[in-house]
Amino acid sequence: MDKRGKFIVFEGGEGSGKDTHIDRLKKKYAGREDIVFTREPGGTPQGEQIRSLLLTPRERKISVPRELVLFVAARAILLEEVILPALAAGKTVISNRFGLSTIAYQIYGRQCNEHLPMLQKLSAFAVGDAIPSDYILLDVTPEVGLARVRSRGDGLTSFDAENLAFHNRVREGYLKHISDYNGLVIDADRPLEEVWATVEAEVANIIG
């Protein structure tokens, strides 16, 4: 019998509420040793170093090839050290972002559609068959999401600071490719409590 755990991924643009809803899930399932929460890039010491490199604003932007490869490298480390061991132990993994983010941000956001075949091959090599069982896209219009980000007043990441056109392209990438993963799209423009009620019910249904 296959006892492999569930692999749930939350995706979405800036200000979509991923952090907020995952924090609520952590509180709801506190004490459940069979549920592992992680994020990418990050989730491991090396991954967090890569995260800092990628998200810290800087005068000179990281080149697209370098940015893309760094994201995939962080993902491979996270898989090897956190996700795969947890799934093999029959645990549920809930991740803040995974492969679809790289398509949305680095391919669509950066307007590098010619790199998509290469990214797909690189991802297949790095990820193998560790495909999320459930993708949940918190779909937010960039105007709404960026307004939320600015209202937090805790500073902007390198991606937060991109212009509106960039974020519109990111959203386009998400919506175009979420069906490739049989993902669920949730309208995240709605009030927080309405979105949370949907997220809570969907995750409860997946976990059982």
Side-chain angles (χ1 to χ4, degrees):
M1 179 181 295
D2 184 5
K3 295 183 178 180
R4 182 185 173 102
K6 297 290 183 64
F7 183 10
I8 305 169
V9 172
F10 280 86
E11 294 279 12
E14 310 307 318
S16 59
K18 297 184 311 303
D19 291 350
T20 298
H21 294 299
I22 289 175
D23 283 345
R24 288 191 174 196
L25 290 171
K26 288 179 180 178
K27 292 176 182 177
K28 176 177 179 177
Y29 295 107
R32 286 276 302 265
E33 296 184 357
D34 62 329
I35 300 178
V36 174
F37 290 90
T38 191
R39 69 177 183 178
E40 76 144 59
T44 68
Q46 286 181 313
E48 291 298 328
Q49 290 177 345
I50 296 174
R51 181 184 184 87
S52 178
L53 177 63
L54 288 166
L55 271 62
T56 300
R58 61 191 69 245
E59 291 185 9
R60 183 179 178 183
K61 292 185 177 181
I62 296 174
S63 68
V64 173
R66 182 182 177 192
E67 186 178 79
L68 191 153
V69 171
L70 283 171
F71 271 108
V72 175
R75 185 169 306 134
I77 296 167
L78 183 63
L79 275 167
E80 181 180 340
E81 297 186 10
V82 177
I83 296 175
L84 291 179
L87 294 177
K91 296 181 179 181
T92 292
V93 175
I94 298 178
S95 180
N96 187 337
R97 297 195 186 282
F98 200 66
L100 185 53
S101 279
T102 309
I103 293 176
Y105 281 80
Q106 279 63 59
I107 300 300
Y108 281 79
R110 300 293 187 215
Q111 294 180 289
C112 292
N113 290 53
E114 70 276 11
H115 293 328
L116 181 56
M118 182 271 291
L119 172 60
Q120 291 171 330
K121 291 180 180 179
L122 183 60
S123 295
F125 175 73
V127 173
D129 63 352
I131 306 300
S133 55
D134 298 273
Y135 256 109
I136 297 175
L137 172 61
L138 298 178
D139 176 44
V140 64
T141 53
E143 292 87 349
V144 171
L146 293 175
R148 290 172 180 170
V149 169
R150 296 189 189 100
S151 70
R152 294 199 299 252
D154 56 0
L156 302 178
T157 70
S158 59
F159 292 103
D160 294 335
E162 293 286 351
N163 61 33
L164 183 61
F166 172 88
H167 292 285
N168 277 319
R169 292 193 298 269
V170 168
R171 186 187 184 209
E172 176 191 356
Y174 271 132
L175 292 174
K176 185 170 182 178
H177 289 275
I178 186 66
S179 60
D180 297 344
Y181 303 90
N182 295 315
L184 171 70
V185 180
I186 295 176
D187 178 4
D189 278 359
R190 295 178 297 157
L192 175 65
E193 296 305 325
E194 289 185 21
V195 180
W196 167 241
T198 304
V199 168
E200 183 180 28
E202 290 295 337
V203 172
N205 183 57
I206 294 168
I207 293 177

